[in-house]
Amino acid sequence: MIDRSIRQHLSWFDTLKQHLLTTVLCVALPVCSVSASAENLTIGFSQIGSESGWRTSETESIKAEAERRGYNLKFSDAQQKQENQIKAVRSFIAQGVDGILLAPVVETGWDQVLKEAKRAHIPVVLVDRGVDANPDLYLTKVASDFREEGALAASWLAAKTNGKCNIVELQGTVGSSAAIDRKAGFDAVISNFPNMKIIRSQSGDFTRAGGKEVMESFLKAESNPKKDICALFSHNDDMALGAILAMKEAGIKPSKDILVVSIDGVPDIFKAMMDGESNATIELNPHLGAPAFDAILAYRAGKTVPKWIKANGPLYLPDTAAAEYNKRK
């Protein structure tokens, strides 16, 4: 029974991996046909903060795309605080911007400010994360399918361990759509394997320091961590990199004594794979500016914009780590 289940999930994993490898942002996306506008648009961008290398890459990419198009980008760093984001969005509305990009720190609590933007006829594009609000209140979401990322990580781990593994999990920021959905996707797959289970799970808040601190507590909680823990599933690479340091300080060989799979695809995780300290990462595409700006242009042109513009990336393994690291460093 278990062998058959593993074969089924291996097949599903191969299919999904191939799908992700061939995914591009403009598949079935009418807004991609919209050329860059000659208008000097003013766009507000409320960013969560700079809690990870990936977040910094996303910010730099969106700023670069705005500059390339000649847009006036008003940037606000919320420093991981929702109240700062709400203030920023209200400031953008008061300034009469042409559109707003919002990377929401958590899912809930956005209804009122989104209603205010709607009344002002200012389109809001969610980037990277989603919100728990009426979809009519925002134009679209440009983001990966976080559930698919979690499911892909679990499928790789099931194939790697033959469906038998005690897992520790580093969750992202509590209440964020990325943390909620990555966990849900991962749990849905491992529920099919009776000998795969999460034995410890805690938030590291998407930071390297948080990942190190929580992993240290996981290791101390086990009488024999090398034997008791089979793998680490981290909701992002930065937490995984912190956890890798905690393992090394505890005399544990990451990727060998404890398998490591994470999500983002930042340069440092490819370096860790090159050094034999990580096993797999799933890329979270940081280049969301172009499809987000195109969605605003499509709205201004009276075109229909899909409610979710997917931007999933592939799973990477150590065999291509050096090449990928050289592309990103």
Side-chain angles (χ1 to χ4, degrees):
M1 178 66 71
I2 299 299
D3 288 344
R4 183 167 64 253
S5 181
I6 290 169
R7 286 196 299 272
Q8 289 171 345
H9 279 79
L10 275 168
S11 176
W12 179 89
F13 164 70
D14 290 338
T15 301
L16 180 56
K17 181 179 177 182
Q18 184 60 38
H19 167 71
L20 292 178
L21 285 168
T22 57
T23 296
V24 292
L25 293 177
C26 292
V27 172
L29 178 58
V31 301
C32 286
S33 63
V34 180
S35 60
S37 172
E39 299 176 271
N40 183 22
L41 300 182
T42 296
I43 307 293
F45 175 27
S46 175
Q47 177 60 287
I48 293 169
S50 54
E51 79 283 2
S52 66
W54 185 91
R55 185 69 52 195
T56 301
S57 294
E58 181 196 41
T59 297
E60 292 174 349
S61 175
I62 290 175
K63 285 182 175 180
E65 182 63 22
E67 183 177 0
R68 187 186 72 80
R69 295 180 182 225
Y71 294 170
N72 176 25
L73 187 72
K74 295 182 177 293
F75 177 73
S76 176
D77 183 333
Q79 299 181 328
Q80 285 77 45
K81 296 180 180 178
Q82 185 182 33
E83 58 266 31
N84 291 344
Q85 290 199 288
I86 291 173
K87 288 178 184 177
V89 171
R90 285 187 170 138
S91 175
F92 297 150
I93 294 170
Q95 294 173 69
V97 299
D98 299 300
I100 295 172
L101 307 189
L102 171 62
V105 63
V106 294
E107 280 195 338
T108 58
W110 298 103
D111 298 73
Q112 183 57 45
V113 74
L114 290 176
K115 287 177 182 176
E116 293 169 22
K118 182 90 170 177
R119 284 196 294 269
H121 304 290
I122 298 174
V124 176
V125 177
L126 308 177
V127 290
D128 172 44
R129 298 184 183 179
V131 298
D132 183 12
N134 187 332
D136 290 340
L137 296 179
Y138 58 87
L139 177 62
T140 187
K141 175 178 71 172
V142 181
S144 293
D145 186 330
F146 298 135
R147 285 177 179 260
E148 199 167 81
E149 290 173 344
L152 182 54
S155 296
W156 173 83
L157 189 56
K160 182 73 173 178
T161 64
N162 203 32
K164 184 178 182 179
C165 190
N166 285 339
I167 305 156
V168 293
E169 178 184 36
L170 285 170
Q171 294 190 44
T173 301
V174 175
S176 68
S177 60
I180 293 167
D181 290 346
R182 283 172 182 162
K183 179 169 182 57
F186 190 88
D187 288 352
V189 171
I190 68 168
S191 67
N192 294 285
F193 299 92
N195 292 319
M196 292 186 75
K197 59 183 178 180
I198 295 174
I199 59 172
R200 299 192 183 277
S201 180
Q202 188 175 326
S203 172
D205 208 26
F206 283 129
T207 68
R208 197 169 300 197
K212 183 176 186 293
E213 181 180 355
V214 175
M215 192 66 194
E216 285 172 345
S217 70
F218 287 166
L219 296 175
K220 290 176 182 176
E222 302 298 332
S223 58
N224 187 347
K226 289 184 181 180
K227 180 180 178 182
D228 298 337
I229 302 172
C230 158
L232 163 68
F233 167 50
S234 176
H235 288 198
N236 83 339
D237 289 341
D238 274 81
M239 291 189 296
L241 289 161
I244 286 170
L245 182 57
M247 290 184 219
K248 291 165 68 177
E249 290 179 354
I252 292 169
K253 295 179 180 178
S255 88
K256 296 176 179 64
D257 295 332
I258 298 176
L259 301 173
V260 179
V261 57
S262 55
I263 299 167
D264 270 0
V266 301
D268 283 353
I269 203 68
F270 288 105
K271 180 65 167 59
M273 283 198 279
M274 291 164 60
D275 294 339
E277 295 177 349
S278 181
N279 302 93
T281 187
I282 297 163
E283 184 179 46
L284 176 64
N285 191 336
H287 305 294
L288 306 180
F293 293 141
D294 282 349
I296 292 171
L297 291 178
Y299 166 85
R300 292 171 64 82
K303 296 180 179 291
T304 300
V305 179
K307 278 297 176 184
W308 188 0
I309 301 170
K310 292 191 178 185
N312 280 71
L315 180 143
Y316 290 101
L317 301 173
D319 57 342
T320 61
E324 295 301 326
Y325 177 72
N326 289 330
K327 290 178 186 177
R328 292 165 168 80
K329 66 179 181 178

